[in-house]
Amino acid sequence: MAAPIFKQAEFYITVKSAEKILKPVYPEVAFLGRSNVGKSSLINAVLGKKNLALTSSSPGKTRGINYFLVDKKYFFVDLPGYGFAKISKSERLKWQKLIESYLLQSKLLKILCLLIDSRRDIMESDAQMVDWLQYQEKPFFIVLTKTDKLSKNQLRQVIKKYQDFFPDNHILPFSIKDKKLIADTALFIKKALN
């Protein structure tokens, strides 16, 4: 069995206002996506920890920026989900400001992992996020989550659709049930951090 890509991880801090975003200390990878896309599940799988990032069947669980210290030399940064309708407009704007503040302030952000549900059509909020990230010249790649719900043929079609739609971006399929896809994603992140 291959050695784990990341060996140690612990919860570090939750930040709920732009003023408290951490000053850059370690290289960072941030995780971003619509609510309920599987950010916490991906973080847990990549780090080999079951309950490090809290998962929930109800969207909107991540209400601040959660920092995880990994191998005592990286930060994994779990950002609030976007596109979640069942919260007030003011709360939605607060989350949006928090995400934007982090992305604009993060001087040691090495890569951003944009998660998109592989079972859904390309959503306007995801396309807008890609446009914004490209405009801000932020390095990112796209992870298509929940691919275990698709047949191999469906998955090929979905990957091609996203490659056609986002031709400048690296696209990785992902499922928490597939050890190879977990390892591929972890390795991609590790290379970006170094």
PDB file of all heavy atoms in Angstrom, residues 117-120 122 144 147 150 152-164 171:
ATOM      1  N   ASP A 117     -20.343  19.540  -8.966  1.00  0.00           N
ATOM      2  CA  ASP A 117     -21.045  18.249  -8.941  1.00  0.00           C
ATOM      3  C   ASP A 117     -21.133  17.697 -10.364  1.00  0.00           C
ATOM      4  O   ASP A 117     -21.744  18.313 -11.243  1.00  0.00           O
ATOM      5  CB  ASP A 117     -22.443  18.449  -8.345  1.00  0.00           C
ATOM      6  CG  ASP A 117     -23.164  17.139  -8.041  1.00  0.00           C
ATOM      7  OD1 ASP A 117     -22.945  16.143  -8.767  1.00  0.00           O
ATOM      8  OD2 ASP A 117     -23.966  17.115  -7.093  1.00  0.00           O
ATOM      9  N   SER A 118     -20.540  16.533 -10.583  1.00  0.00           N
ATOM     10  CA  SER A 118     -20.481  15.950 -11.934  1.00  0.00           C
ATOM     11  C   SER A 118     -21.861  15.588 -12.481  1.00  0.00           C
ATOM     12  O   SER A 118     -22.035  15.440 -13.686  1.00  0.00           O
ATOM     13  CB  SER A 118     -19.607  14.689 -11.916  1.00  0.00           C
ATOM     14  OG  SER A 118     -20.183  13.687 -11.084  1.00  0.00           O
ATOM     15  N   ARG A 119     -22.869  15.463 -11.610  1.00  0.00           N
ATOM     16  CA  ARG A 119     -24.213  15.052 -12.064  1.00  0.00           C
ATOM     17  C   ARG A 119     -25.055  16.226 -12.557  1.00  0.00           C
ATOM     18  O   ARG A 119     -26.124  16.033 -13.113  1.00  0.00           O
ATOM     19  CB  ARG A 119     -24.958  14.365 -10.911  1.00  0.00           C
ATOM     20  CG  ARG A 119     -24.211  13.173 -10.333  1.00  0.00           C
ATOM     21  CD  ARG A 119     -24.816  12.753  -9.017  1.00  0.00           C
ATOM     22  NE  ARG A 119     -24.766  13.851  -8.054  1.00  0.00           N
ATOM     23  CZ  ARG A 119     -25.416  13.859  -6.898  1.00  0.00           C
ATOM     24  NH1 ARG A 119     -26.162  12.827  -6.545  1.00  0.00           N
ATOM     25  NH2 ARG A 119     -25.318  14.890  -6.079  1.00  0.00           N
ATOM     26  N   ARG A 120     -24.580  17.428 -12.328  1.00  0.00           N
ATOM     27  CA  ARG A 120     -25.368  18.619 -12.693  1.00  0.00           C
ATOM     28  C   ARG A 120     -24.870  19.219 -14.004  1.00  0.00           C
ATOM     29  O   ARG A 120     -23.694  19.099 -14.344  1.00  0.00           O
ATOM     30  CB  ARG A 120     -25.236  19.680 -11.597  1.00  0.00           C
ATOM     31  CG  ARG A 120     -25.514  19.162 -10.200  1.00  0.00           C
ATOM     32  CD  ARG A 120     -26.980  19.257  -9.846  1.00  0.00           C
ATOM     33  NE  ARG A 120     -27.213  18.755  -8.505  1.00  0.00           N
ATOM     34  CZ  ARG A 120     -27.793  17.594  -8.225  1.00  0.00           C
ATOM     35  NH1 ARG A 120     -28.171  16.787  -9.193  1.00  0.00           N
ATOM     36  NH2 ARG A 120     -27.995  17.224  -6.979  1.00  0.00           N
ATOM     37  N   ILE A 122     -23.730  22.464 -16.251  1.00  0.00           N
ATOM     38  CA  ILE A 122     -22.901  23.608 -15.881  1.00  0.00           C
ATOM     39  C   ILE A 122     -23.825  24.724 -15.398  1.00  0.00           C
ATOM     40  O   ILE A 122     -24.717  25.168 -16.121  1.00  0.00           O
ATOM     41  CB  ILE A 122     -22.053  24.070 -17.081  1.00  0.00           C
ATOM     42  CG1 ILE A 122     -21.054  22.955 -17.445  1.00  0.00           C
ATOM     43  CG2 ILE A 122     -21.311  25.362 -16.764  1.00  0.00           C
ATOM     44  CD1 ILE A 122     -20.444  23.076 -18.803  1.00  0.00           C
ATOM     45  N   LEU A 144     -14.466  17.415 -10.459  1.00  0.00           N
ATOM     46  CA  LEU A 144     -15.844  16.953 -10.659  1.00  0.00           C
ATOM     47  C   LEU A 144     -16.149  15.908  -9.597  1.00  0.00           C
ATOM     48  O   LEU A 144     -15.575  14.811  -9.615  1.00  0.00           O
ATOM     49  CB  LEU A 144     -16.016  16.370 -12.057  1.00  0.00           C
ATOM     50  CG  LEU A 144     -15.778  17.346 -13.208  1.00  0.00           C
ATOM     51  CD1 LEU A 144     -15.830  16.625 -14.549  1.00  0.00           C
ATOM     52  CD2 LEU A 144     -16.791  18.487 -13.184  1.00  0.00           C
ATOM     53  N   THR A 147     -18.479  11.303  -8.811  1.00  0.00           N
ATOM     54  CA  THR A 147     -18.439  10.598 -10.099  1.00  0.00           C
ATOM     55  C   THR A 147     -18.844   9.131  -9.978  1.00  0.00           C
ATOM     56  O   THR A 147     -19.121   8.489 -10.994  1.00  0.00           O
ATOM     57  CB  THR A 147     -17.037  10.691 -10.739  1.00  0.00           C
ATOM     58  OG1 THR A 147     -16.075  10.161  -9.826  1.00  0.00           O
ATOM     59  CG2 THR A 147     -16.685  12.128 -11.081  1.00  0.00           C
ATOM     60  N   LEU A 150     -22.065   8.067 -11.664  1.00  0.00           N
ATOM     61  CA  LEU A 150     -22.158   8.033 -13.129  1.00  0.00           C
ATOM     62  C   LEU A 150     -21.570   6.732 -13.679  1.00  0.00           C
ATOM     63  O   LEU A 150     -20.665   6.158 -13.083  1.00  0.00           O
ATOM     64  CB  LEU A 150     -21.374   9.208 -13.736  1.00  0.00           C
ATOM     65  CG  LEU A 150     -21.738  10.624 -13.273  1.00  0.00           C
ATOM     66  CD1 LEU A 150     -20.773  11.623 -13.899  1.00  0.00           C
ATOM     67  CD2 LEU A 150     -23.168  10.968 -13.638  1.00  0.00           C
ATOM     68  N   LYS A 152     -19.290   4.750 -16.591  1.00  0.00           N
ATOM     69  CA  LYS A 152     -18.016   5.153 -17.216  1.00  0.00           C
ATOM     70  C   LYS A 152     -18.268   5.986 -18.464  1.00  0.00           C
ATOM     71  O   LYS A 152     -17.555   6.962 -18.730  1.00  0.00           O
ATOM     72  CB  LYS A 152     -17.191   3.914 -17.569  1.00  0.00           C
ATOM     73  CG  LYS A 152     -16.553   3.284 -16.354  1.00  0.00           C
ATOM     74  CD  LYS A 152     -15.621   2.154 -16.724  1.00  0.00           C
ATOM     75  CE  LYS A 152     -14.962   1.642 -15.447  1.00  0.00           C
ATOM     76  NZ  LYS A 152     -14.196   0.413 -15.654  1.00  0.00           N
ATOM     77  N   ASN A 153     -19.277   5.610 -19.232  1.00  0.00           N
ATOM     78  CA  ASN A 153     -19.602   6.355 -20.450  1.00  0.00           C
ATOM     79  C   ASN A 153     -20.098   7.762 -20.114  1.00  0.00           C
ATOM     80  O   ASN A 153     -19.694   8.747 -20.734  1.00  0.00           O
ATOM     81  CB  ASN A 153     -20.651   5.581 -21.269  1.00  0.00           C
ATOM     82  CG  ASN A 153     -20.842   6.196 -22.645  1.00  0.00           C
ATOM     83  OD1 ASN A 153     -19.889   6.605 -23.294  1.00  0.00           O
ATOM     84  ND2 ASN A 153     -22.087   6.269 -23.085  1.00  0.00           N
ATOM     85  N   GLN A 154     -20.977   7.861 -19.108  1.00  0.00           N
ATOM     86  CA  GLN A 154     -21.481   9.175 -18.674  1.00  0.00           C
ATOM     87  C   GLN A 154     -20.327  10.051 -18.189  1.00  0.00           C
ATOM     88  O   GLN A 154     -20.265  11.238 -18.500  1.00  0.00           O
ATOM     89  CB  GLN A 154     -22.498   9.008 -17.536  1.00  0.00           C
ATOM     90  CG  GLN A 154     -23.852   8.494 -17.971  1.00  0.00           C
ATOM     91  CD  GLN A 154     -24.753   8.205 -16.767  1.00  0.00           C
ATOM     92  OE1 GLN A 154     -24.306   7.670 -15.749  1.00  0.00           O
ATOM     93  NE2 GLN A 154     -26.023   8.558 -16.880  1.00  0.00           N
ATOM     94  N   LEU A 155     -19.406   9.447 -17.433  1.00  0.00           N
ATOM     95  CA  LEU A 155     -18.280  10.202 -16.896  1.00  0.00           C
ATOM     96  C   LEU A 155     -17.405  10.750 -18.026  1.00  0.00           C
ATOM     97  O   LEU A 155     -16.993  11.912 -17.993  1.00  0.00           O
ATOM     98  CB  LEU A 155     -17.449   9.339 -15.947  1.00  0.00           C
ATOM     99  CG  LEU A 155     -16.235  10.019 -15.313  1.00  0.00           C
ATOM    100  CD1 LEU A 155     -16.638  11.287 -14.564  1.00  0.00           C
ATOM    101  CD2 LEU A 155     -15.492   9.065 -14.392  1.00  0.00           C
ATOM    102  N   ARG A 156     -17.135   9.931 -19.038  1.00  0.00           N
ATOM    103  CA  ARG A 156     -16.349  10.396 -20.193  1.00  0.00           C
ATOM    104  C   ARG A 156     -17.024  11.607 -20.844  1.00  0.00           C
ATOM    105  O   ARG A 156     -16.376  12.589 -21.186  1.00  0.00           O
ATOM    106  CB  ARG A 156     -16.207   9.273 -21.233  1.00  0.00           C
ATOM    107  CG  ARG A 156     -14.976   8.408 -21.023  1.00  0.00           C
ATOM    108  CD  ARG A 156     -14.676   7.547 -22.246  1.00  0.00           C
ATOM    109  NE  ARG A 156     -15.756   6.640 -22.596  1.00  0.00           N
ATOM    110  CZ  ARG A 156     -15.927   5.445 -22.065  1.00  0.00           C
ATOM    111  NH1 ARG A 156     -15.075   4.988 -21.171  1.00  0.00           N
ATOM    112  NH2 ARG A 156     -16.936   4.690 -22.429  1.00  0.00           N
ATOM    113  N   GLN A 157     -18.345  11.523 -21.018  1.00  0.00           N
ATOM    114  CA  GLN A 157     -19.102  12.618 -21.647  1.00  0.00           C
ATOM    115  C   GLN A 157     -19.046  13.889 -20.784  1.00  0.00           C
ATOM    116  O   GLN A 157     -18.890  14.996 -21.305  1.00  0.00           O
ATOM    117  CB  GLN A 157     -20.562  12.194 -21.864  1.00  0.00           C
ATOM    118  CG  GLN A 157     -20.730  11.136 -22.944  1.00  0.00           C
ATOM    119  CD  GLN A 157     -22.158  10.615 -23.033  1.00  0.00           C
ATOM    120  OE1 GLN A 157     -23.033  11.029 -22.273  1.00  0.00           O
ATOM    121  NE2 GLN A 157     -22.398   9.707 -23.959  1.00  0.00           N
ATOM    122  N   VAL A 158     -19.175  13.707 -19.468  1.00  0.00           N
ATOM    123  CA  VAL A 158     -19.171  14.854 -18.551  1.00  0.00           C
ATOM    124  C   VAL A 158     -17.795  15.536 -18.570  1.00  0.00           C
ATOM    125  O   VAL A 158     -17.702  16.765 -18.649  1.00  0.00           O
ATOM    126  CB  VAL A 158     -19.545  14.412 -17.113  1.00  0.00           C
ATOM    127  CG1 VAL A 158     -19.213  15.492 -16.094  1.00  0.00           C
ATOM    128  CG2 VAL A 158     -21.020  14.068 -17.037  1.00  0.00           C
ATOM    129  N   ILE A 159     -16.730  14.731 -18.507  1.00  0.00           N
ATOM    130  CA  ILE A 159     -15.378  15.309 -18.527  1.00  0.00           C
ATOM    131  C   ILE A 159     -15.164  16.079 -19.824  1.00  0.00           C
ATOM    132  O   ILE A 159     -14.644  17.204 -19.815  1.00  0.00           O
ATOM    133  CB  ILE A 159     -14.305  14.216 -18.334  1.00  0.00           C
ATOM    134  CG1 ILE A 159     -14.359  13.690 -16.898  1.00  0.00           C
ATOM    135  CG2 ILE A 159     -12.911  14.767 -18.642  1.00  0.00           C
ATOM    136  CD1 ILE A 159     -13.490  12.476 -16.634  1.00  0.00           C
ATOM    137  N   LYS A 160     -15.597  15.499 -20.948  1.00  0.00           N
ATOM    138  CA  LYS A 160     -15.437  16.177 -22.248  1.00  0.00           C
ATOM    139  C   LYS A 160     -16.219  17.495 -22.274  1.00  0.00           C
ATOM    140  O   LYS A 160     -15.736  18.522 -22.741  1.00  0.00           O
ATOM    141  CB  LYS A 160     -15.886  15.274 -23.398  1.00  0.00           C
ATOM    142  CG  LYS A 160     -15.619  15.938 -24.752  1.00  0.00           C
ATOM    143  CD  LYS A 160     -16.034  15.085 -25.921  1.00  0.00           C
ATOM    144  CE  LYS A 160     -15.678  15.728 -27.251  1.00  0.00           C
ATOM    145  NZ  LYS A 160     -15.914  17.157 -27.358  1.00  0.00           N
ATOM    146  N   LYS A 161     -17.446  17.459 -21.736  1.00  0.00           N
ATOM    147  CA  LYS A 161     -18.285  18.671 -21.698  1.00  0.00           C
ATOM    148  C   LYS A 161     -17.583  19.786 -20.924  1.00  0.00           C
ATOM    149  O   LYS A 161     -17.518  20.931 -21.376  1.00  0.00           O
ATOM    150  CB  LYS A 161     -19.642  18.343 -21.049  1.00  0.00           C
ATOM    151  CG  LYS A 161     -20.556  19.541 -20.864  1.00  0.00           C
ATOM    152  CD  LYS A 161     -21.922  19.147 -20.333  1.00  0.00           C
ATOM    153  CE  LYS A 161     -21.884  18.768 -18.884  1.00  0.00           C
ATOM    154  NZ  LYS A 161     -23.216  18.524 -18.294  1.00  0.00           N
ATOM    155  N   TYR A 162     -17.013  19.446 -19.758  1.00  0.00           N
ATOM    156  CA  TYR A 162     -16.337  20.457 -18.951  1.00  0.00           C
ATOM    157  C   TYR A 162     -15.024  20.909 -19.591  1.00  0.00           C
ATOM    158  O   TYR A 162     -14.664  22.071 -19.508  1.00  0.00           O
ATOM    159  CB  TYR A 162     -16.133  19.957 -17.514  1.00  0.00           C
ATOM    160  CG  TYR A 162     -17.362  20.170 -16.670  1.00  0.00           C
ATOM    161  CD1 TYR A 162     -18.348  19.198 -16.576  1.00  0.00           C
ATOM    162  CD2 TYR A 162     -17.577  21.375 -16.008  1.00  0.00           C
ATOM    163  CE1 TYR A 162     -19.502  19.401 -15.830  1.00  0.00           C
ATOM    164  CE2 TYR A 162     -18.719  21.595 -15.262  1.00  0.00           C
ATOM    165  CZ  TYR A 162     -19.678  20.607 -15.174  1.00  0.00           C
ATOM    166  OH  TYR A 162     -20.824  20.823 -14.448  1.00  0.00           O
ATOM    167  N   GLN A 163     -14.326  19.984 -20.243  1.00  0.00           N
ATOM    168  CA  GLN A 163     -13.098  20.372 -20.950  1.00  0.00           C
ATOM    169  C   GLN A 163     -13.410  21.328 -22.104  1.00  0.00           C
ATOM    170  O   GLN A 163     -12.667  22.272 -22.351  1.00  0.00           O
ATOM    171  CB  GLN A 163     -12.373  19.127 -21.473  1.00  0.00           C
ATOM    172  CG  GLN A 163     -11.644  18.379 -20.381  1.00  0.00           C
ATOM    173  CD  GLN A 163     -11.102  17.038 -20.830  1.00  0.00           C
ATOM    174  OE1 GLN A 163     -11.598  16.428 -21.780  1.00  0.00           O
ATOM    175  NE2 GLN A 163     -10.083  16.564 -20.139  1.00  0.00           N
ATOM    176  N   ASP A 164     -14.520  21.084 -22.794  1.00  0.00           N
ATOM    177  CA  ASP A 164     -14.931  21.971 -23.886  1.00  0.00           C
ATOM    178  C   ASP A 164     -15.350  23.341 -23.354  1.00  0.00           C
ATOM    179  O   ASP A 164     -15.052  24.375 -23.948  1.00  0.00           O
ATOM    180  CB  ASP A 164     -16.091  21.355 -24.687  1.00  0.00           C
ATOM    181  CG  ASP A 164     -15.657  20.139 -25.499  1.00  0.00           C
ATOM    182  OD1 ASP A 164     -14.430  19.934 -25.666  1.00  0.00           O
ATOM    183  OD2 ASP A 164     -16.538  19.387 -25.946  1.00  0.00           O
ATOM    184  N   ILE A 171      -8.906  19.436 -15.284  1.00  0.00           N
ATOM    185  CA  ILE A 171     -10.134  18.876 -14.715  1.00  0.00           C
ATOM    186  C   ILE A 171      -9.860  17.474 -14.192  1.00  0.00           C
ATOM    187  O   ILE A 171      -9.330  16.625 -14.916  1.00  0.00           O
ATOM    188  CB  ILE A 171     -11.261  18.871 -15.764  1.00  0.00           C
ATOM    189  CG1 ILE A 171     -11.618  20.314 -16.125  1.00  0.00           C
ATOM    190  CG2 ILE A 171     -12.490  18.121 -15.245  1.00  0.00           C
ATOM    191  CD1 ILE A 171     -12.538  20.480 -17.280  1.00  0.00           C
TER     192      ILE A 171
END
